[in-house]
Amino acid sequence: MKLLSQTLSVLLMALFLQGCQLGQDDDETVETASEVLTADEYDGDISNDNPYDLLLKASDTLVTIKGDVTEMTVQGNDNYITIDSDVAIDEVIIVGNGNILLVEDGIELTITLLSVTGNGNRVTVFDVTTYTESPKDGEADNTLCENSICVTTSG
């Protein structure tokens, strides 16, 4: 009888543990990657299979951004940047001058925080939640277009 009781206890314990996944979290966390572009006059795509932060240090580029960008910083000048597949970016910081950031047709991109310290930049997206501008030399001349409505600031 004692052997039967022990066998049933072991069997019940095994069934209980089979239903549990020890050491695993149901919320799978994907680490954010980083992409850095430093090559001036680059003409091509930037993408990553995982969510990624983008740092664009180059100037005079023609870049198409693909994938899930979480944050973007543009330090270079006179870049033409097209967003091809994203619908939301947490933060975009534009430090450089004369950059154009826009979306492909049909992409309804929302930027949570857009911060511009450069001059002569143009950003065309579906929506910006928060926009801050603090030009270095007091002359902004930046243009923000949201859902086909554009506003140009001048310092």
Side-chain angles (χ1 to χ4, degrees):
M1 185 70 156
K2 186 174 180 180
L3 181 60
L4 180 60
S5 175
Q6 288 177 342
T7 304
L8 286 176
S9 293
V10 170
L11 182 60
L12 287 174
M13 183 72 93
L15 288 174
F16 174 74
L17 290 175
Q18 186 177 11
C20 296
Q21 294 181 349
L22 299 176
Q24 292 185 358
D25 191 0
D26 289 341
D27 298 331
E28 185 177 317
T29 304
V30 177
E31 192 169 317
T32 302
S34 293
E35 296 288 336
V36 179
L37 178 62
T38 58
D40 289 341
E41 300 180 9
Y42 176 82
D43 184 353
D45 297 344
I46 298 176
S47 65
N48 195 307
D49 292 336
N50 294 319
Y52 65 102
D53 295 340
L54 173 63
L55 174 57
L56 180 60
K57 292 183 170 186
S59 293
D60 302 309
T61 65
L62 181 60
V63 178
T64 301
I65 309 298
K66 298 182 179 211
D68 183 8
V69 177
T70 54
E71 293 182 6
M72 179 187 309
T73 301
V74 180
Q75 294 177 345
N77 300 313
D78 303 315
N79 295 294
Y80 190 91
I81 306 162
T82 305
I83 306 292
D84 187 27
S85 59
D86 213 339
V87 294
I89 299 177
D90 294 333
E91 184 175 18
V92 174
I93 300 169
I94 301 176
V95 180
N97 302 314
N99 295 291
I100 297 172
L101 172 68
L102 54 89
V103 294
E104 289 285 347
D105 289 339
I107 303 293
E108 294 186 351
L109 175 66
T110 297
I111 297 173
T112 304
L113 173 62
L114 173 61
S115 178
V116 181
T117 57
N119 301 324
N121 297 290
R122 181 180 180 93
V123 177
T124 303
V125 295
F126 181 74
D127 186 40
V128 173
T129 306
T130 303
Y131 176 67
T132 62
E133 183 178 87
S134 53
K136 296 175 198 164
D137 59 8
E139 294 184 26
D141 294 326
N142 294 305
T143 302
L144 171 61
C145 299
E146 291 181 272
N147 204 10
S148 302
I149 299 171
C150 297
V151 176
T152 300
T153 59
S154 55

